Amino acid sequence: MESYSFRPFLSSFLILLSISLTNSIPIQEAFNHCVTLHSQTPNEFPSAVYTPNNASYTSILESTAQNLRYLLPSLPKPEFIFTPFHDSQVQAAVICAKQLGIHMRVRSGGHDYEGLSYVSFIEKPFMILDLVKLREINVDIAQNTAWIQAGATVGEVYYRIAEKSAVHGFPAGLCTTLGIGGHITGGAYGSMMRKYGLGADNVLDARIVDANGRILDREAMGEDLFWAIRGGGGGSFGVILWWKIKLVPVPETVTVFTVTKSLEQGANKILYRWQEVAPSIDENLFIRVLIQTANGSVPGRRTVTTSYNALFLGSADTLLQVMKQSFPELGLTRKDCVETSWIKSVLYIAGFPSGTAPEVLLQAKSTSKAYFKAKSDFIRQVIPENSLNSLWKIFLQEDGPLMIWNPYGGMMGRIPESATPFPHRQGTLYKIQYVTGWLDGEKSMARHMNWIRRFYYFMAPYASKYPREAYVNYRDLDIGMNHQNTTSFSKASVWGFKYFKNNFLRLVQVKTKVDPSNFFRHEQSIPPFHTKRW
């Protein structure tokens, strides 16, 4: 038994020794040898590695990457991409990357706003561990649970739940192509958050590969690490393999609507009133506001439109009663309301055309990509009506700006700030996502980036303070980042407290305990204490 255990170690040691002495083995070949030794499924391994010499390399790299800004030719590219078929291959990849000194980026869905799951600015060479082939979903309606692999998309999870039951759901994202692995690590909010909280609030167990290459469940990892991975951001504590989620009840009939008001139609007064109402209205009702520009009633002049996009967990008649009592200013009518099933409401909120079959959720890939930059704010005080007028002047200076205002309150205000690393709870009225997008690459990038930074600066007086909070799943490198060979608690605190408030301190403590050598790292990863060099 001892000689059997020693053989893989000896083989790995000889590979490392050979590399250090001759420096002649390509890094991906050394990785191949090492993973083959450590994986339980070595025969499947060769088809899972893509180098720039492979015809499929570019298509695999770009397949799930959402922000074209991070696919520009001038930006760093991975030495190779590894797409494991099995949990043991993920385990082997971590062991071998650590042994060989290969910097690793982990990708489940490619929606990282700053491309940190597939680009490294801080060190080379690097590899991508892409979980795209790990997308099994096992729904257990009798137990109201599901085990889901990290490479599955939110849409696939929703579909598989609805396939088994019309009265079960899960309170995660509105975008259906999000990878569930990374999505939950940042919190995972959606249209049922006011009723049931975040996706991370409804996780019962997990399986993770830690920095030592061990596969751990909740019992084995302990409550501190289990706490950290449910909202502490991806890429800091390990590789998520599986989540065990708690399913939530949904009615057979839900109601959705979208009502749009322009400035000429009194949008200012309605939006001001929405700020007062949306966080305190019936928690079965989620009304977000999509704010964009459009052609105005006067030729050649643009205006601002506010679209109230909503899900109500109940019938249209009950919804109309709620709106009449709490938000009559919107003028909602029965004609505006669409009664549907929960799974079809997912399609509606995600923006699919009317009549789209739920099977589209199994396609699991975004059909539209763009160059974009985003930022976020949490609002704790109502923005005065006259200040909204000033806001539109700057908003209209951009070609295609977008703001999404998401209401809080309900369950979000009842869960303590320290329950998970996600701290934006009681007292938060709503969250704002700011986005600007463009299609001509680097040509106009500076102009768009400058605009969103100016707009974010303008919004400072209305945002939360000390710290000015931000959402970790809307990564923003403008607020601070680690640099090559120089990560520290003091530098990371600049952005860490914005994302996590005082929970950042506990996250650093957990990181120090489970990954003191800082193997899992990126531009905004949680640092261990006392680590100044990697």
Side-chain angles (χ1 to χ4, degrees), residues 105-122:
R105 294 297 166 107
V106 182
R107 181 167 75 174
S108 60
H111 281 254
D112 189 294
Y113 275 20
E114 296 284 21
L116 303 186
S117 62
Y118 51 95
V119 173
S120 172
F121 296 103
I122 56 177

Side-chain angles (χ1 to χ4, degrees), residues 103-290:
H103 182 49
M104 175 185 286
R105 294 297 166 107
V106 182
R107 181 167 75 174
S108 60
H111 281 254
D112 189 294
Y113 275 20
E114 296 284 21
L116 303 186
S117 62
Y118 51 95
V119 173
S120 172
F121 296 103
I122 56 177
E123 57 188 294
K124 300 178 185 178
F126 73 98
M127 63 168 284
I128 295 175
L129 178 65
D130 194 327
L131 307 179
V132 66
K133 294 175 182 175
L134 301 176
R135 51 201 324 138
E136 187 176 336
I137 301 167
N138 300 312
V139 178
D140 187 340
I141 293 298
Q143 296 296 319
N144 293 318
T145 63
W147 276 103
I148 50 181
Q149 277 189 303
T153 64
V154 168
E156 288 175 309
V157 173
Y158 293 162
Y159 181 89
R160 295 305 179 195
I161 294 171
E163 188 178 43
K164 294 285 186 73
S165 169
V167 292
H168 288 77
F170 183 64
L174 300 95
C175 174
T176 59
T177 57
L178 293 163
I180 198 71
H183 181 47
I184 290 178
T185 63
Y189 79 89
S191 56
M192 294 197 292
M193 61 186 280
R194 302 187 66 250
K195 177 71 172 180
Y196 296 115
L198 306 173
D201 298 325
N202 292 276
V203 169
L204 301 172
D205 204 341
R207 294 195 185 113
I208 183 174
V209 178
D210 75 354
N212 295 314
R214 300 174 299 176
I215 296 180
L216 308 173
D217 63 6
R218 178 175 182 172
E219 182 179 2
M221 76 177 77
E223 288 303 302
D224 283 341
L225 182 53
F226 184 64
W227 173 86
I229 62 177
R230 292 174 297 132
S236 289
F237 301 100
V239 181
I240 302 296
L241 296 174
W242 296 81
W243 295 112
K244 184 181 182 182
I245 60 172
K246 178 178 67 177
L247 307 184
V248 301
V250 297
E252 289 189 11
T253 299
V254 303
T255 307
V256 293
F257 70 80
T258 302
V259 173
T260 300
K261 301 289 185 181
S262 67
L263 293 180
E264 292 82 358
Q265 296 171 316
N268 250 24
K269 289 186 179 298
I270 298 172
L271 186 61
Y272 174 76
R273 178 61 179 155
W274 174 91
Q275 295 180 85
E276 298 176 319
V277 170
S280 58
I281 205 167
D282 188 324
E283 65 183 28
N284 290 295
L285 179 56
F286 174 89
I287 311 174
R288 65 173 180 165
V289 191
L290 308 175

Side-chain angles (χ1 to χ4, degrees), residues 265-343:
Q265 296 171 316
N268 250 24
K269 289 186 179 298
I270 298 172
L271 186 61
Y272 174 76
R273 178 61 179 155
W274 174 91
Q275 295 180 85
E276 298 176 319
V277 170
S280 58
I281 205 167
D282 188 324
E283 65 183 28
N284 290 295
L285 179 56
F286 174 89
I287 311 174
R288 65 173 180 165
V289 191
L290 308 175
I291 304 174
Q292 298 170 282
T293 58
N295 292 326
S297 56
V298 178
R301 293 187 61 181
R302 295 197 304 161
T303 188
V304 175
T305 61
T306 57
S307 295
Y308 296 82
N309 182 232
L311 168 68
F312 178 67
L313 299 174
S315 68
D317 288 343
T318 305
L319 168 62
L320 288 167
Q321 293 174 11
V322 171
M323 291 294 287
K324 182 179 180 180
Q325 178 180 347
S326 301
F327 195 15
E329 293 84 356
L330 187 60
L332 184 71
T333 67
R334 181 62 180 84
K335 187 178 179 181
D336 297 320
C337 302
V338 178
E339 291 187 330
T340 188
S341 63
W342 173 74
I343 191 64

Side-chain angles (χ1 to χ4, degrees), residues 23-80:
N23 200 30
S24 60
I25 301 177
I27 192 169
Q28 66 271 16
E29 187 175 329
F31 183 81
N32 286 2
H33 287 308
C34 183
V35 170
T36 301
L37 287 167
H38 286 89
S39 176
Q40 296 175 14
T41 55
N43 292 336
E44 292 180 327
F45 174 68
S47 62
V49 175
Y50 302 87
T51 72
N53 295 325
N54 296 121
S56 301
Y57 172 84
T58 299
S59 63
I60 295 294
L61 174 62
E62 297 180 356
S63 60
T64 60
Q66 297 299 306
N67 194 343
L68 297 179
R69 192 157 57 92
Y70 290 103
L71 293 177
L72 290 167
S74 59
L75 293 181
K77 301 296 185 289
E79 198 80 7
F80 60 93

Side-chain angles (χ1 to χ4, degrees), residues 336-378:
D336 297 320
C337 302
V338 178
E339 291 187 330
T340 188
S341 63
W342 173 74
I343 191 64
K344 289 185 178 179
S345 79
V346 166
L347 300 174
Y348 180 92
I349 295 292
F352 287 97
S354 177
T356 301
E359 283 70 23
V360 72
L361 299 173
L362 300 178
Q363 294 180 6
K365 286 189 178 181
S366 176
T367 56
S368 60
K369 299 182 181 182
Y371 301 86
F372 71 88
K373 173 66 180 177
K375 291 178 172 291
S376 62
D377 264 323
F378 289 86

